[in-house]
Amino acid sequence: MDVEYLLTATRSARKALDLDAPVDLADIRECLRIGLQAANGSNQQSWRWLVIADPALRAEIAELYRAAYLLRVGGQLIADLVPAGTPEGRIMSSTEWLVENMSRVPLLVIPCYQPYLPRIEGDESFHQATLYGSIFPAVWNFQLALHTRGYGTCITTLHLHREVEVRRLLGIPESYVQGCLLPVGRLRAGQTFRPARRRPVGEVVARDGWAGPAL
Ligand SMILES: Cc1cc2nc3c(=O)[nH]c(=O)nc-3n(C[C@H](O)[C@H](O)[C@H](O)COP(=O)(O)O)c2cc1C
């Protein structure tokens, strides 16, 4: 796969996932090996990645994910209220499709991380940056590796509104933080992605200070 295509068109796969195609765990293991090559704080690698294949566990997590989503949107699905065909409409439709189908996605992957540095006063920003910065580079590497092998996923964080329940369900120790929830499956046959629509560099990059000229 062309590297620039891979880097610009590794998209959030939801409806693009083939819910009926079995996942080869050897492929997932290989993608995780590549994912774990990513930078992480002091190379502590104090992570544990949970790969959930058991259908009963997936169903319970999907239920919690749905409850979390409904909590955020006021109790009922809202995609139908957003004009179809608009970028917002497409995201909402895709997001709610995942809410409805999470239990059918063949694998759910949850990267967990144990903060390892002693805390000092006023270190909140440093703590959060080190913590999540030790998870998401590996998540992105994992996404890229999946894409090259015909698999897809989508970073999701909604389940964290039910993180305690998920912690109990999976036996995650209190000292570990869940970074996100990655629903993983094969991409549907023939599925390709276009590069993502993002704001232009000139609009979001400033030189020599916040108010400086664009690059
Ligand atoms: C930190 C983060 C949290 C996200 N949480 C969710 C989520 O809970 N559910 C979901 O369906 N998508 C989630 N997404 C996916 C975004 O909606 C998606 O990346 C965005 O719409 C851009 O689409 P693209 O990745 O296809 O370019 C999340 C993405 C990021 C980076």
Side-chain angles (χ1 to χ4, degrees), residues 42-60:
S42 306
N43 201 25
Q44 286 292 303
Q45 305 170 68
S46 64
W47 44 38
R48 189 158 179 87
W49 292 60
L50 305 184
V51 177
I52 319 296
D54 178 75
L57 286 175
R58 283 188 287 124
E60 286 198 57

Side-chain angles (χ1 to χ4, degrees), residues 8-14 65 69 72 87 91-92 94-99 102 136 140 143 153-161 179-181 183 193-198:
T8 56
T10 296
R11 308 292 305 280
S12 296
R14 303 183 190 87
Y65 186 83
Y69 177 76
R72 277 217 77 96
I91 290 185
M92 287 311 297
S94 181
T95 299
E96 292 197 350
W97 183 91
L98 186 59
V99 170
M102 182 70 92
F136 283 100
W140 180 242
Q143 282 188 266
T153 188
C154 173
I155 296 175
T156 78
T157 44
L158 277 164
H159 89 282
L160 294 172
H161 291 291
C180 60
L181 166 63
F193 295 101
R194 280 200 292 262
R197 283 155 55 107
R198 301 288 191 245

Side-chain angles (χ1 to χ4, degrees), residues 164-181:
V164 174
E165 290 87 338
V166 173
R167 175 187 296 287
R168 287 195 191 119
L169 182 69
L170 302 176
I172 300 170
E174 291 282 343
S175 58
Y176 280 75
V177 170
Q178 302 168 60
C180 60
L181 166 63

Side-chain angles (χ1 to χ4, degrees), residues 1-13 140 143-144 147-148 151 187 191-198:
M1 195 181 276
D2 174 73
V3 172
E4 185 168 330
Y5 174 77
L6 179 67
L7 293 174
T8 56
T10 296
R11 308 292 305 280
S12 296
W140 180 242
Q143 282 188 266
L144 296 174
H147 193 181
T148 61
Y151 290 86
L187 295 172
Q191 172 73 47
T192 55
F193 295 101
R194 280 200 292 262
R197 283 155 55 107
R198 301 288 191 245

Side-chain angles (χ1 to χ4, degrees), residues 49-156:
W49 292 60
L50 305 184
V51 177
I52 319 296
D54 178 75
L57 286 175
R58 283 188 287 124
E60 286 198 57
I61 294 169
E63 221 17 78
L64 292 166
Y65 186 83
R66 182 185 170 83
Y69 177 76
L70 292 177
L71 180 78
R72 277 217 77 96
V73 296
Q76 55 188 14
L77 300 180
I78 54 165
D80 286 349
L81 306 177
V82 185
T86 60
E88 295 74 24
R90 279 192 290 275
I91 290 185
M92 287 311 297
S93 160
S94 181
T95 299
E96 292 197 350
W97 183 91
L98 186 59
V99 170
E100 299 284 49
N101 289 284
M102 182 70 92
S103 67
R104 297 179 59 210
V105 181
L107 278 188
L108 303 179
V109 176
I110 301 182
C112 303
Y113 198 84
Q114 186 177 40
Y116 59 89
L117 285 168
R119 300 295 301 270
I120 60 172
E121 205 188 323
D123 73 348
E124 191 57 27
S125 300
F126 172 81
H127 174 74
Q128 297 294 345
T130 309
L131 169 56
Y132 291 105
S134 294
I135 299 174
F136 283 100
V139 167
W140 180 242
N141 256 17
F142 177 53
Q143 282 188 266
L144 296 174
L146 286 171
H147 193 181
T148 61
R149 286 160 176 77
Y151 290 86
T153 188
C154 173
I155 296 175
T156 78

